[in-house]
Structure formats: structure tokens, C-alpha cells
Amino acid sequence: MVQTHAPVHSVEEIASGIFRLVFRSHELAATAQPGQFVNVKVNDSLFPLLRRPFSIFFVEGDLVSILFNVIGEGTRILVGKKPGDVIDVIGPLGNGFSAAMNSGGYKTAVIVAGGLGIAPFPFFLSKLEKNKNVLSFIGARTANQIVRFGFNRIHIATDDGSEGFSGNVVDLLAEHFSDHRYELPRIFSCGPTRMLKRLSEFTQKKNIACYASLECAMACGIGLCQGCPVETINGKKKYALVCREGPVFETGAVFL
Amino acid sequence: MHESFTVAGLTLQNRVLVASGTFGYGDEVPQLVDVNKLGGIVTKSLSMKPRDGNPAPRIAETPSGMLNSIGLANIGVKKFIEEKIPKLSTFSCAVIANIAASSVEEYCGVLEKLDPFEAIAGFEINVSCPNVKEGGLSFGTDKEKVALITKELRRRTKKPLMIKLTPNVTHISEFALAAESEGADAVSVINTIIGMAIDIRTRKTKLSTVTGGLSGPAIKPIALAKVYEVYRAVKIPVIGIGGITSWEDAVEFLLAGASAVQVGTYNFVVPSAGVTIAEGIKSFCEQQSISDVGKLVGAVEAKRDLSVIESWL
């Protein structure tokens, strides 16, 4: 974990309203693992005050990228960054997908992502053992909001039916799994809580291991503020911290 | 210039501490900050039994501030003694144990358990906790309870005892006087201010507990006024807290009457802020040829000077 002042390399819109910001940091690039995140101070001012957490979208050489849409003051400032501008980044943070992706016991990695929940997966796929089968299910509101970077065969669901399956991505997954058999699948997921909740119900019914990266408002990202609790199921403690114990949890271990 | 000084019986290497609940137990951030360069660490509030804390959402950002309702989540005094004190014993900065409780007996019990440990240099008492026996109102808004807690704790320790006061009262100085009269060595001013935020689309409060504590730069002017008020009312030292993010902020607190300061919320943004602020105060004093930082304490000149208007521009 480091705090670093990283120069911005580029900001580009890679799907409608979805931006990719690339910055340069050797230390971060060298140590980041899939599913970890960075906590970014978007400017030197006291407004906005807190850092903003972002999944690590991709790492290539010394370049690290994050993905966001413009929803508040922090992301409005980020989207205006120019090459050479400096952002203050703490990371890499949290427990990502590494443990679940590197432990044996599965042959097919099934990615289920909703909206900006695709963020951790290009990096994930770049690090996944080449002998795994990969199956990706991506849900978006509409066709032009689908981020395809880093994915191969994609099964798409759109809310408005403008591409692929019309409806939500979990229903698409369920339909696909009723028609196909996969040897030892393991699901890796990220997306809106409502989606994860439905996914967790589906995977428990089908007895498929499922890991999800959770989103939660947080301040410090390192466990100091205790601001990001998720309630555990049968855990030793009532709450785990999304920032430090997560953001990736086995979906059966937490109340979504 | 060697900065080491004594305040309220505590020997500190500089005047910047980190506030309770913003720095864990001091052992979470070794990679981002050299804790031994801090004046001291105030631990997360400790209660007798572990506390889970409140459900999410526990925090919400507001303009230059943040609301929290963590609910005093902590590992409990037993686990703190077993797991944290051995590590804290290796720190060269002062470690102050912050205590939270839901009864006077619990305050006393926690303090008695911690008092024997050399690693604990002193105590800071969080009186902004609900008094469970008497309807859940905060102890800190009842002068007699603040006096009683101070009195009972004073009997049980010779170590420095600081009472952390809530600003959610009409005259905070009366509470400072109550603590002073029962033997407190210092008062920490201020704890968070009750606040609230609403999501207008869902019509839900942004915190699960409806209201919470406001902290951060947004409260700095309020905190400064409270420090000034308390400094003029009591003889014991005042520890200034509230929205400090820079050495300039810290110097303002010293001038208003704080003998030392605590950095709180800004640790969430820059965990090494306390160290930078301590270094900044030192450089400022060197530049200004101030031989002793203590000369700044309470040195504010409370009169109008039209030249201050220039600093607006």
C-alpha cells in the first residue's frame, strides 16, 4: 500500500457516459491484484473532502486505469483531468479476487457484471490462468453503455433490449445455465447490490461458488473510519469492513 | 528547537495528536505514516465489551465535512489489552486510551482495567455516549453527569485524565468547569456536532441512524469558537479538535487557546497529515523566531483590525 502523486496519462469515454482514466504509477502497477481498488483524492481542495474509491480496471506496464461515470462532484472533477495533471492515489487496497481465482476447484470462470460492475474484470481476465474456460455475462441499461474492453465471448443483457437478451443479466445467466452444462463453474461478480442479491440466490440454489466485489460508501479505504460495514452471515463478528476484509466476499457469507 | 513539552501531565514530543476514532488503535497504518513522529495517538473509543457498531450507511459526505454514525464499534477492552497494548508499547509517541461507556460503572471498569499498563500514558473520556440507564440521553449534555464521571475516574487514576466535551450544549464552558472542578487534567474540545443529510430522491436519511456526528473542515470555525470560550473559562489545558487539515489550522487553534491539537477526519484523507502538521508548526515557529510554541497558546488578539480584510483577496 502506498500513497502516491500519480500523473494522469489519459481520460477517454469508452462507452456512452463511461470514462476510463489512466494514470502512471510503477509501485501501484507492480503490486495491484485483480479486484483491489484505489482511493483517489481528485483535487487539492477541501471540497470534495474525501477520497473516491475505484476498482482497478486494467494494468499495463506502469499504467493503471480506473472506470467511472459522472455522478457527483468527485467524478465531475476527474473527467476534466488532462494528461500530466496529478492525482493523489492510495492503493492498492482491499482483498480482491486473487484468493478465489487462484485456488483450485474450478474449470470455468463465469463473470457476471452489471453496469460499471465490469470495472475489475479486464484486469482479472489478464491475470487468469490460461487453462480456464471463461464465460462472461454483462448487463447494461442500453447497448451503447456496454464496455467490451478486455472481454472475449460476451453474453449481453440490456434493460431496454437494444442488444442481446432483454432484461437483467441474472435472468440471462439462469437461462443460459438451464441450457448448458459447465464443468466446475465458479462465478466472479460485481454490480448493483440488487443484482448481486439475485445472483447470490441463484448460485446458492444451484450450489455454485460465487464471489462478488461489493460497493459501499467509504472514507479512508484502510479500516480507520469503520464506515463501510457489511453484515456477515455466521461470521465471528456481526460486521466485516468492505474496504479491508473485502471488497470481494463469497456471496453466501454476507447479507446483500 | 526541541519541541518536547508537558501538557496536563503528558510529555509529548510535539503538539499534534490524532483524534479518537480516526486512527484505529494506531497499528493499521504503518505503511503510510510514521506514528512515532506524532505527538500522540488517541485510540478508538474502548468499551467494556466489544461493540458491533451501527448498520450501513454509517457515513455520508457533506460540503467539506462528513457525517458519521459508526456506533462506537470497537474490539472491547479485553482484546485491546491482549492484542493491541503489546504493539502500542513499542511506540515512542504517547498513547492515550479513549473510553466510551453506557454507565458510570462501565467508565470506571474500563479505566481500572487499563490503568496498570505503562503503554497507556493517559485517558480521554468520551462523554458523548448515551446514558442507557437514564433514557439514552448523552452524558455529555448533563453537567452533573460530566462532573460525576470525572470525579469517579479521578479517584481511580493518577494518570492524565482528559474529558472530551460535546459541542451540542448551550455553554460548553460550563461543562469544562464541571470537569475541572472534579480534577480533570485537561478538556478536549470538541467532539462532533449533531447533523443530518437526506437523499432527496429516495427520501431516506443518508445515515442509518437518521442523525450523526458532523466533522471535518466544515466545523472548524465552530470548534475554534468553543476552544476560545473554554480557554477563557478554565485553568486546565484545552486540547483543540475540529476540522484541522493544515498547520495553519493548528496554529489558529493554538492562538485560540489550545495547548495541543488533534487531527481527526483528515486522517481519512491523508493518514500522515498529523506528522506534516507537526512539522509545519515547527517551521512556522522557526520562521517567526518563536522560541517556544507554547507562546502561541491563547495569544489571539481579540480586536478588530481592518487589515484582515486583505486576506480575503
Side-chain angles (χ1 to χ4, degrees), chain A residues 165-210:
Chain A
F165 178 85
S166 179
N168 83 63
V169 70
V170 180
D171 289 340
L172 170 63
L173 177 81
E175 193 177 285
H176 191 88
F177 268 63
S178 69
D179 297 343
H180 300 78
R181 287 276 169 273
Y182 294 100
E183 203 185 344
L184 297 172
R186 182 172 291 174
I187 294 180
F188 302 90
S189 178
C190 182
T193 305
R194 210 165 42 175
M195 178 203 109
L196 295 180
K197 203 177 161 94
R198 297 195 55 190
L199 178 65
S200 177
E201 285 159 10
F202 170 75
T203 56
Q204 282 178 56
K205 210 160 55 191
K206 296 278 178 184
N207 202 20
I208 305 170
C210 179

Side-chain angles (χ1 to χ4, degrees), chain A residues 242-253:
Chain A
V242 172
C243 73
R244 201 170 52 192
E245 286 139 286
V248 173
F249 293 90
E250 191 169 2
T251 52

Side-chain angles (χ1 to χ4, degrees), chain A:
Chain A
M1 187 201 307
V2 293
Q3 181 184 351
T4 182
H5 290 85
V8 171
H9 177 267
S10 59
V11 182
E12 59 171 328
E13 189 171 8
I14 63 167
S16 179
I18 299 175
F19 297 86
R20 174 187 182 182
L21 182 148
V22 184
F23 61 90
R24 188 179 294 280
S25 167
H26 175 70
E27 293 155 296
L28 261 155
T31 54
Q33 296 297 321
Q36 287 192 299
F37 67 97
V38 292
N39 213 1
V40 179
K41 180 80 178 94
V42 300
N43 62 14
D44 288 337
S45 124
L46 298 175
F47 180 73
L49 178 65
L50 301 175
R51 290 174 184 270
R52 298 288 186 270
F54 299 96
S55 274
I56 296 169
F57 174 66
F58 201 63
V59 176
E60 197 174 19
D62 284 349
L63 299 177
V64 180
S65 47
I66 58 176
L67 208 63
F68 60 93
N69 52 14
V70 178
I71 48 165
E73 198 54 42
T75 45
R76 217 173 347 261
I77 293 165
L78 271 187
V79 82
K81 294 291 177 191
K82 299 279 176 280
D85 287 353
V86 168
I87 51 173
D88 175 346
V89 185
I90 292 180
L93 299 172
N95 287 305
F97 286 110
S98 301
M101 71 191 280
N102 296 329
S103 66
Y106 75 106
K107 288 189 175 166
T108 305
V110 182
I111 289 167
V112 183
L116 269 184
I118 63 105
F121 293 114
F123 185 33
F124 174 100
L125 289 171
S126 75
K127 290 276 188 181
L128 189 68
E129 286 176 22
K130 298 295 170 239
N131 62 4
K132 303 286 189 206
N133 297 320
V134 178
L135 204 57
S136 300
F137 296 85
I138 296 180
R141 273 197 202 119
T142 182
N144 64 9
Q145 292 182 353
I146 296 162
V147 175
R148 295 160 203 271
F149 178 92
F151 289 93
N152 284 315
R153 297 181 299 146
I154 316 178
H155 300 270
I156 288 170
T158 51
D159 293 346
D160 65 357
S162 53
E163 186 172 342
F165 178 85
S166 179
N168 83 63
V169 70
V170 180
D171 289 340
L172 170 63
L173 177 81
E175 193 177 285
H176 191 88
F177 268 63
S178 69
D179 297 343
H180 300 78
R181 287 276 169 273
Y182 294 100
E183 203 185 344
L184 297 172
R186 182 172 291 174
I187 294 180
F188 302 90
S189 178
C190 182
T193 305
R194 210 165 42 175
M195 178 203 109
L196 295 180
K197 203 177 161 94
R198 297 195 55 190
L199 178 65
S200 177
E201 285 159 10
F202 170 75
T203 56
Q204 282 178 56
K205 210 160 55 191
K206 296 278 178 184
N207 202 20
I208 305 170
C210 179
Y211 298 84
S213 177
L214 307 189
E215 198 174 31
C216 187
M218 57 179 70
C220 68
I222 54 178
L224 295 178
C225 73
Q226 305 269 314
C228 56
V230 58
E231 196 172 340
T232 61
I233 298 171
N234 301 326
K236 269 193 280 181
K237 307 176 294 185
K238 186 170 186 196
Y239 296 109
L241 294 180
V242 172
C243 73
R244 201 170 52 192
E245 286 139 286
V248 173
F249 293 90
E250 191 169 2
T251 52
V254 290
F255 286 102
L256 292 165

Side-chain angles (χ1 to χ4, degrees), chain B residues 282-304:
Chain B
K282 194 175 165 195
S283 305
F284 174 72
C285 289
E286 281 163 5
Q287 281 160 19
Q288 298 264 315
S289 305
I290 298 163
S291 57
D292 172 11
V293 190
K295 292 199 171 126
L296 291 171
V297 176
V300 61
E301 295 176 22
K303 63 176 183 188
R304 272 164 54 131

